[in-house]
Amino acid sequence: MVLVLAIGDLHIPNRAPDLPAKFKSMLVPGKIQHIICTGNLCIKEVHDYLKSLCPSLHITRGEYDEDSRYPETKTITIGQFKLGLCHGHQVVPWGDLDSLAMLQRQLDVDILVSGHTHQFKAYKHEAGVVINPGSATSAYSSITYDVNPSFVLMDIDGLRVVVYVYELIDGEVKVDKIDFKKTSTPAI
Amino acid sequence: MISDGVEDEEKWLTAGIAGLQQNAFYMHRALDSNNIKDALKYSAQMLSELRTSRLSPHKYYELYMRAFDELRKLEIFFKEESRRSCSIIELYELVQHAGNILPRLYLLCTVGSVYIKSKEAPAKDILKDLVEMCRGIQHPLRGLFLRSYLSQVSRDKLPDIGSEYEGDENTVMDAVEFVLQNFTEMNKLWVRMQHQNKGPKKRTDLNHFGIGQFWHAIGLSGLLGPAREKEKREKERNELRDLVGKNLHVLSQIEGIDLELYRDVVLPRILEQVVNCKDDLAQYYLMDCVIQVFPDEYHLQTLETLLGACPQLQPSVDIRTVLSGLMERLSNYAASSVEVLPEFVQVEAFAKLNNAIGQVIEAQPDMPVFGAVTLYSSLLTFTLHVHPDRLDYVDQILGACVSKLSGKGTLEGKATKQIVAFLSAPLEKYSDIDIALKLSNYPLVLEYLDDRTNKVMSNVIIQSIMKNKTHISTADKVGALFELIKGLIKDLDSGGDDEMDEDDFKEEQNFVARLVQMLYNDDPEEMLKIICTVKKHIMTGGPKRLPFTIPPLIYNALKLVRRVQSQDENASEETTASATPKKIFQILNQTIEVLSTVPVPDLALRLYLECAEAANDCDLEPVAYEFFTQAYILYEEEISDSKAQVTALYLIIGTLQRMHTFGVENRDTLTHKATGYSAKLLKKPDQCRAVYACSHLFWVEDQDGIKDGERVLLCLKRALRIANAAQQMANVTKGSSGSVTLFIEILNKYLYFFEKGNTQITVASIQGLIELVTTEMQSDTATSDPAADAFFSSTIRYIQSQKAKGGSTAEKFEPIKV
């Protein structure tokens, strides 16, 4: 059982002052094995904070990130799953699932995590899963109106991944979950 | 000399203890055989050891304790009448035959204790007798210990209320009198120690003969210089102070002392002694003692008397600490229970303390600034605890501080730390910054801080707001707040600003950015005013600060646009409100323009695009077009770094793709430009990708979105040509064909549009691409590229899965052969 936190688009300090207090109290060090971050943190303090939660931190570059050294895309293998990470502003049209599927094929990953739209999505198709953890601070987005703060926690266990989405609605944290099972890797 | 002295002292102490123990042994032997006379003889000899002048207080105490133990045993013997073989009154007489006065008095006290217990005479008479007779010892050290002994043995025998010694003849007053007298005498002795041995003139002749040892023998250190002398004296006095203070402690334990008695008798007598002794060490210690041992309710009720003594004390007494201690106690008292608060109001505690402090400060014009601030700090803490709702009191204190500070110029060192603590107190107490903003003197105090401390304070203020998550809700408050924190907002006048560490500067400005997020009001008009106020302030920040402070403001404004937008749709056209999207966009445009002075074209470009999208949502075509124009100008003129260009271009394409408000002409112009930029990127692969991204500009899935299949295909074909050119270049320059990834990407785009129903994309063209890729991958000059292989495989899998879907999709994909 490997816990992976998918989080991003915090836009601190330009669009949001800080993570919601309820999220902060839930995210404690030592419980999560990996953090994958879609980008747009934007400042070093946020990077350090995430690093303190878990040393295995993977970040891709968002268009507002202060640190320009983050890569445009990243692939990570966790257990039986290959995960792909990309902020998403590079994939036009923004938020379009078919275009994201193309990126997924290109990176050859089972799970693609991307952001930019600030809207939570978890979408399954034959080749795999596309996840958007939304914005953890419900930062302003020109694309999506009225977002709630959200992040995603994936529990990877063998060939199965359970995706938990945590959303802050009206001051309460609501959790939803989606199950995905991977078919064994097809031959090339 | 001095070390000799210490060693000698040890010797004398050891000798003293030995003598004491030896006599004690004989005394006990005599007691065992009920031989009173001998017992008294030996006990007197034993007590003679206490007549020494050679020991320092510390060592004398050791000797004293042993004597004390022995006297306890003696007392037990005396108690048992049968063993005594004489009455207590006779015993009382007998002990007075001892040769030397000191042993005589110790024995008297011991017997006196038994006497009182026997109740054969009124307690008060015996106590009075004893306390008077102790006057016989005027030597400070010996006298103090003797009276201390008296205090110890009499403690449980005072005629207090409810005690067995109370009666018609013995009252609480008697107990009080006794303790007060003992206290007074002990204090006099204690003070005298300071002036003892100021080199008595008549002995200097002995000094001339170099008999320094003689001096030491008598325990006088006249050979030391006056300063060291004083220091030594003070140290010794400090070791003894608790002996004196004990009396006050005893007084506080007497249950019969009620408020009246305390107020009318006890306190005035104590204070009289304190003031009259004119000794700073004693005064400081005793004032503190009084404050600590007596209950807080009493202090409240006698506040005037207590404070009245303060100006009468020696100027060298650290009255600040005393007053601070008092205020702290009263603060804690107030904090302990809500019910006591009315008392404070009733005795006008605040006014009295304020006056007292004022008097003290006036009386000591040379008091250093940080000292005055400490006093005001304590008063402030007191006020915040006791009268948290009296903002006028708090403001008064701030005002008094300002007057004290005026004319001192900027401060430094300890003073600044104190002032920061002073100013932070109200922030901590009142979690709503609004309240602190109401204190008119608050900003005035800030004026006196140097730049660096000003910034520190500003940070404290912002942190307080962040911690309490307060939302500042009116333009006026925002203005006041930004005035307060102006140290962060702009360069302050005093030049020679020490260069700030870059990281620290960033952190500081990021803080300001976060602060901007905390400004909010439901009413759009007020929110707009807030935005304008903030804009006015941050514009003074200079190019270094603008990149940090402008973005958060922009987003605040965009959020406002969204709020107003929905209202706008409902409201009629003739609204007189000034918070309209149009107005806000004007402000946005002006604000982003200022960034060109820095310059930060990448940031400005992004902000223009965000505004364009917001304008799009409001259906304001000309406004959106204007924003795009600005963004394009920046792209053409200011952004020259290749990597930056690629990112900027994707943002342009992505934003443009979502625009629905543009008419055909405008859209064409912008699209044409975008594709042009794409083809002109430096690296061929970048060109290729940007061009096929542009294909989406001609196909929007929305209902009335544009779906121009031909132009899509044109883009894709153009991308293909560029990919080909890239391949050829690779062949020529590297001798091997480059990666086929670009072709596979384009293939995927073909499939995308094919699936969406673009009739211009034929099966043949797709088939052609598939073959092209396969050929390239199998060619001799092909470089092995596992990523490309995997990409191609997953693409093929995708086609197969589409075929397997059934229905119209399967039909569409059926002809494609893989």
Side-chain angles (χ1 to χ4, degrees):
Chain A
M1 179 177 103
V2 179
L3 284 179
V4 182
L5 172 68
I7 192 171
D9 286 314
L10 296 109
H11 286 283
I12 295 172
N14 288 334
R15 302 192 202 184
D18 207 353
L19 265 179
K22 288 220 158 133
F23 279 179
K24 264 194 164 165
S25 60
M26 291 171 69
L27 297 172
V28 289
K31 291 211 184 136
I32 300 166
Q33 278 77 52
H34 301 276
I35 298 185
I36 51 182
C37 180
T38 51
N40 274 345
L41 296 176
C42 311
I43 51 178
K44 185 168 171 296
E45 277 97 333
V46 184
H47 178 115
D48 292 339
Y49 165 71
L50 289 177
K51 196 82 194 216
S52 76
L53 292 180
C54 164
S56 172
L57 174 62
H58 307 275
I59 311 184
T60 47
R61 194 172 78 89
E63 76 273 33
Y64 284 95
D65 272 315
E66 185 184 66
D67 191 342
S68 55
R69 292 168 303 172
Y70 301 142
E72 298 283 321
T73 63
K74 204 163 189 195
T75 47
I76 318 147
T77 307
I78 298 177
Q80 301 277 359
F81 284 87
K82 281 203 283 199
L83 291 92
L85 186 62
C86 176
H87 176 250
H89 65 271
Q90 308 93 330
V91 181
V92 175
W94 292 336
D96 180 68
L97 284 165
D98 294 309
S99 298
L100 287 170
M102 168 179 152
L103 179 60
Q104 185 168 13
R105 291 194 283 275
Q106 183 166 7
L107 296 176
D108 191 33
V109 291
D110 305 304
I111 304 175
L112 177 69
V113 180
S114 80
H116 188 58
T117 62
H118 298 202
Q119 187 173 47
F120 162 72
K121 274 226 161 44
Y123 173 70
K124 181 182 150 103
H125 55 96
E126 318 70 34
V129 175
V130 175
I131 296 179
N132 184 333
S135 160
T137 54
S138 69
Y140 171 91
S141 161
S142 50
I143 305 166
T144 319
Y145 281 46
D146 290 330
V147 284
N148 288 315
S150 65
F151 65 84
V152 158
L153 200 59
M154 290 185 275
D155 183 353
I156 297 180
D157 193 0
L159 290 174
R160 185 165 165 254
V161 59
V162 183
V163 175
Y164 297 94
V165 58
Y166 294 78
E167 222 178 324
L168 188 65
I169 305 176
D170 289 331
E172 290 301 317
V173 178
K174 302 246 163 43
V175 188
D176 214 345
K177 78 171 194 181
I178 308 161
D179 246 287
F180 293 111
K181 236 201 179 86
K182 172 177 157 164
T183 49
S184 46
T185 332
I188 297 172
Chain B
M1 281 296 187
I2 297 122
S3 50
D4 281 352
V6 170
E7 272 172 33
D8 288 338
E9 259 195 66
E10 274 297 330
K11 271 194 262 171
W12 287 318
L13 175 63
T14 320
I17 293 176
L20 190 148
Q21 281 172 339
Q22 193 181 29
N23 282 303
F25 173 72
Y26 288 121
M27 178 184 84
H28 283 298
R29 227 176 43 173
L31 287 177
D32 286 340
S33 37
N34 283 355
N35 187 342
I36 289 277
K37 269 213 155 71
D38 277 354
L40 290 181
K41 182 178 91 181
Y42 285 117
S43 64
Q45 270 172 233
M46 174 182 81
L47 291 166
S48 291
E49 297 296 340
L50 289 176
R51 293 175 60 214
T52 177
S53 316
R54 296 176 193 167
L55 299 175
S56 67
H58 194 62
K59 299 262 182 292
Y60 190 90
Y61 175 74
E62 280 192 50
L63 195 58
Y64 165 84
M65 280 316 289
R66 284 173 206 263
F68 184 85
D69 288 337
E70 298 304 333
L71 286 174
R72 287 277 64 67
K73 296 176 196 163
L74 190 60
E75 184 178 343
I76 293 173
F77 177 82
F78 286 156
K79 268 196 215 144
E80 296 169 23
E81 279 195 59
S82 51
R83 301 185 64 189
R84 250 192 275 139
S85 73
C86 65
S87 75
I88 196 69
I89 300 174
E90 283 170 357
L91 196 53
Y92 202 70
E93 274 302 303
L94 215 51
V95 296
Q96 298 195 42
H97 292 308
N100 293 308
I101 184 167
L102 191 67
R104 190 189 317 150
L105 289 174
Y106 269 104
L107 288 172
L108 209 52
C109 291
T110 314
V111 177
S113 163
V114 181
Y115 199 172
I116 298 174
K117 254 195 125 80
S118 73
K119 302 206 181 106
E120 290 186 29
K124 83 164 191 229
D125 290 343
I126 304 169
L127 291 172
K128 196 154 172 24
D129 205 26
L130 292 173
V131 81
E132 299 263 309
M133 285 208 265
C134 284
R135 285 217 178 138
I137 303 293
Q138 285 300 316
H139 182 270
L141 187 62
R142 296 196 285 269
L144 278 173
F145 274 98
L146 173 63
R147 286 189 178 272
S148 182
Y149 180 70
L150 172 59
S151 176
Q152 274 175 298
V153 299
S154 62
R155 259 202 96 144
D156 53 341
K157 301 172 184 75
L158 297 175
D160 191 4
I161 288 186
S163 114
E164 52 183 295
Y165 304 102
E166 193 193 11
D168 296 325
E169 300 202 10
N170 306 312
T171 61
V172 172
M173 264 320 292
D174 298 312
V176 170
E177 266 305 322
F178 168 72
V179 181
L180 278 176
Q181 206 175 352
N182 204 23
F183 162 70
T184 310
E185 294 303 317
M186 284 179 82
N187 194 35
K188 286 188 192 157
L189 289 171
W190 190 40
V191 170
R192 193 179 309 150
M193 269 186 85
Q194 189 70 31
H195 310 287
Q196 179 186 6
N197 316 321
K198 274 209 173 131
K201 301 283 192 271
K202 53 185 173 161
R203 302 247 164 150
T204 48
D205 52 330
L206 287 170
N207 217 358
H208 282 317
F209 287 93
I211 315 188
Q213 297 288 10
F214 180 60
W215 263 160
H216 261 293
I218 313 184
L220 304 173
S221 41
L223 285 172
L224 298 173
R228 290 293 299 277
E229 165 87 44
K230 182 164 184 264
E231 214 180 279
K232 183 164 188 265
R233 201 61 58 211
E234 273 175 11
K235 181 167 171 289
E236 289 176 355
R237 283 194 61 197
N238 270 322
E239 286 170 359
L240 294 167
R241 68 186 190 183
D242 286 335
L243 292 181
V244 181
K246 200 69 186 302
N247 292 293
L248 296 180
H249 196 66
V250 170
L251 277 174
S252 74
Q253 304 285 59
I254 297 179
E255 293 201 28
I257 298 185
D258 59 0
L259 177 60
E260 261 187 64
L261 199 56
Y262 175 78
R263 188 183 56 208
D264 299 333
V265 177
V266 178
L267 185 63
R269 285 277 290 276
I270 297 176
L271 288 180
E272 195 187 323
Q273 173 56 219
V274 170
V275 170
N276 289 342
C277 77
K278 294 201 186 345
D279 175 82
D280 46 0
L281 210 95
Q283 286 181 340
Y284 178 73
Y285 173 69
L286 290 173
M287 284 299 286
D288 195 48
C289 222
V290 167
I291 293 171
Q292 298 301 332
V293 306
F294 290 109
D296 298 312
E297 306 94 77
Y298 285 12
H299 291 317
L300 259 189
Q301 298 296 336
T302 57
L303 205 51
E304 214 152 344
T305 322
L306 198 55
L307 293 174
C310 292
Q312 301 177 46
L313 302 177
Q314 301 295 104
S316 48
V317 172
D318 182 8
I319 196 64
R320 286 192 308 269
T321 314
V322 172
L323 282 176
S324 297
L326 175 62
M327 285 189 278
E328 205 183 303
R329 268 199 81 99
L330 292 177
S331 299
N332 290 336
Y333 179 51
S336 65
S337 111
V338 186
E339 287 146 13
V340 305
L341 291 179
E343 262 185 74
F344 283 81
V345 179
Q346 188 214 4
V347 304
E348 294 178 17
F350 175 78
K352 290 186 185 153
L353 285 168
N354 202 9
N355 278 336
I357 293 180
Q359 281 176 0
V360 168
I361 292 187
E362 251 185 71
Q364 300 184 15
D366 294 330
M367 189 193 288
V369 174
F370 89 93
V373 178
T374 319
L375 271 175
Y376 282 123
S377 266
S378 304
L379 184 58
L380 185 62
T381 316
F382 170 80
T383 313
L384 289 174
H385 271 121
V386 177
H387 304 291
D389 49 330
R390 293 299 297 264
L391 283 184
D392 56 330
Y393 282 172
V394 180
D395 215 13
Q396 240 183 48
I397 302 175
L398 289 170
C401 203
V402 171
S403 5
K404 175 70 186 173
L405 291 176
S406 65
K408 300 272 180 181
T410 46
L411 317 158
E412 38 193 88
K414 277 198 252 191
T416 44
K417 263 208 199 137
Q418 281 292 0
I419 296 215
V420 171
F422 180 56
L423 289 172
S424 305
L427 292 178
E428 278 164 35
K429 177 72 183 177
Y430 303 118
S431 44
D432 187 354
I433 191 73
D434 274 359
I435 300 196
L437 290 176
K438 284 200 199 123
L439 299 166
S440 57
N441 285 314
Y442 198 87
L444 296 178
V445 180
L446 275 174
E447 296 283 328
Y448 287 99
L449 297 174
D450 62 308
D451 289 351
R452 210 171 46 87
T453 322
N454 215 309
K455 282 196 193 176
V456 169
M457 236 4 261
S458 304
N459 269 318
V460 170
I461 293 174
I462 296 185
Q463 289 199 11
S464 160
I465 297 175
M466 300 291 306
K467 191 170 77 138
N468 297 308
K469 299 205 186 319
T470 36
H471 283 267
I472 325 274
S473 55
T474 70
D476 291 331
K477 287 187 205 159
V478 171
L481 177 61
F482 273 74
E483 266 303 313
L484 273 186
I485 61 173
K486 63 183 178 213
L488 299 180
I489 303 294
K490 61 182 177 190
D491 293 324
L492 297 174
D493 296 322
S494 43
D497 205 29
D498 48 340
E499 275 307 303
M500 230 185 145
D501 176 57
E502 204 188 302
D503 283 335
D504 287 342
F505 180 74
K506 266 196 214 165
E507 212 184 306
E508 180 190 277
Q509 292 305 310
N510 279 327
F511 246 127
V512 177
R514 286 190 211 211
L515 175 63
V516 174
Q517 302 294 334
M518 308 297 291
L519 313 175
Y520 180 80
N521 193 315
D522 271 333
D523 172 27
E525 295 295 322
E526 191 62 40
M527 187 67 207
L528 186 58
K529 281 199 208 137
I530 291 179
I531 292 177
C532 291
T533 313
V534 176
K535 174 164 175 262
K536 198 175 62 158
H537 277 97
I538 63 180
M539 285 301 162
T540 60
K544 271 205 301 174
R545 293 188 175 79
L546 290 173
F548 293 97
T549 51
I550 287 190
L553 186 61
I554 302 286
Y555 286 108
N556 263 358
L558 285 174
K559 284 186 220 176
L560 180 60
V561 167
R562 229 176 232 178
R563 256 197 293 155
V564 172
Q565 187 185 334
S566 46
Q567 285 179 8
D568 219 35
E569 284 160 14
N570 303 332
S572 71
E573 278 297 320
E574 293 144 43
T575 170
T576 48
S578 57
T580 59
K582 262 204 199 132
K583 190 90 206 303
I584 304 175
F585 282 125
Q586 279 169 10
I587 298 176
L588 281 168
N589 203 354
Q590 287 165 8
T591 315
I592 305 179
E593 224 178 293
V594 178
L595 280 177
S596 62
T597 60
V598 180
V600 271
D602 295 286
L603 178 60
L605 180 131
R606 283 155 178 68
L607 294 175
Y608 277 130
L609 290 177
E610 297 271 355
C611 291
E613 246 191 290
N616 175 59
D617 291 337
C618 296
D619 265 322
L620 291 167
E621 186 180 353
V623 178
Y625 191 78
E626 173 61 26
F627 281 125
F628 255 99
T629 314
Q630 295 293 344
Y632 278 22
I633 294 174
L634 279 177
Y635 180 87
E636 286 177 22
E637 297 180 5
E638 307 282 344
I639 300 183
S640 47
D641 174 78
S642 303
K643 205 163 164 223
Q645 277 182 338
V646 172
T647 312
L649 196 45
Y650 276 113
L651 292 174
I652 289 175
I653 299 172
T655 313
L656 189 52
Q657 199 262 348
R658 298 170 54 79
M659 296 285 116
H660 55 72
T661 187
F662 286 135
V664 177
E665 268 190 44
N666 278 340
R667 196 186 170 87
D668 271 349
T669 316
L670 294 174
T671 319
H672 182 69
K673 277 260 167 191
T675 37
Y677 295 152
S678 307
K680 292 208 199 73
L681 286 171
L682 181 61
K683 299 189 237 176
K684 288 244 179 284
D686 288 336
Q687 281 178 17
C688 176
R689 293 187 171 113
V691 166
Y692 76 57
C694 284
S695 66
H696 289 280
L697 291 174
F698 303 105
W699 194 277
V700 178
E701 283 293 307
D702 282 346
Q703 245 185 348
D704 22 296
I706 173 178
K707 286 193 181 63
D708 190 337
E710 268 189 47
R711 292 172 83 174
V712 167
L713 186 57
L714 276 173
C715 269
L716 292 180
K717 281 194 176 160
R718 198 170 176 187
L720 204 48
R721 280 200 297 277
I722 302 176
N724 266 319
Q727 276 291 54
Q728 284 174 4
M729 250 177 47
N731 262 325
V732 168
T733 55
K734 295 184 199 165
S736 65
S737 59
S739 169
V740 293
T741 314
L742 283 176
F743 290 123
I744 308 175
E745 288 175 37
I746 298 173
L747 167 63
N748 271 274
K749 281 298 166 192
Y750 266 75
L751 289 168
Y752 175 93
F753 287 107
F754 180 68
E755 163 137 39
K756 299 285 184 215
N758 184 347
T759 49
Q760 299 291 324
I761 312 260
T762 60
V763 173
S765 53
I766 295 180
Q767 202 72 60
L769 268 177
I770 296 177
E771 276 161 28
L772 172 61
V773 171
T774 324
T775 320
E776 285 290 328
M777 276 169 52
Q778 289 167 348
S779 97
D780 297 326
T781 52
T783 42
S784 122
D785 185 351
D789 292 340
F791 190 9
F792 192 50
S793 307
S794 52
T795 311
I796 300 296
R797 276 201 300 276
Y798 167 68
I799 299 174
Q800 285 166 336
S801 70
Q802 291 298 79
K803 287 208 237 184
K805 259 195 179 150
S808 55
T809 319
E811 274 182 43
K812 216 192 271 178
F813 277 77
E814 184 48 46
I816 305 178
K817 311 229 177 330
V818 292

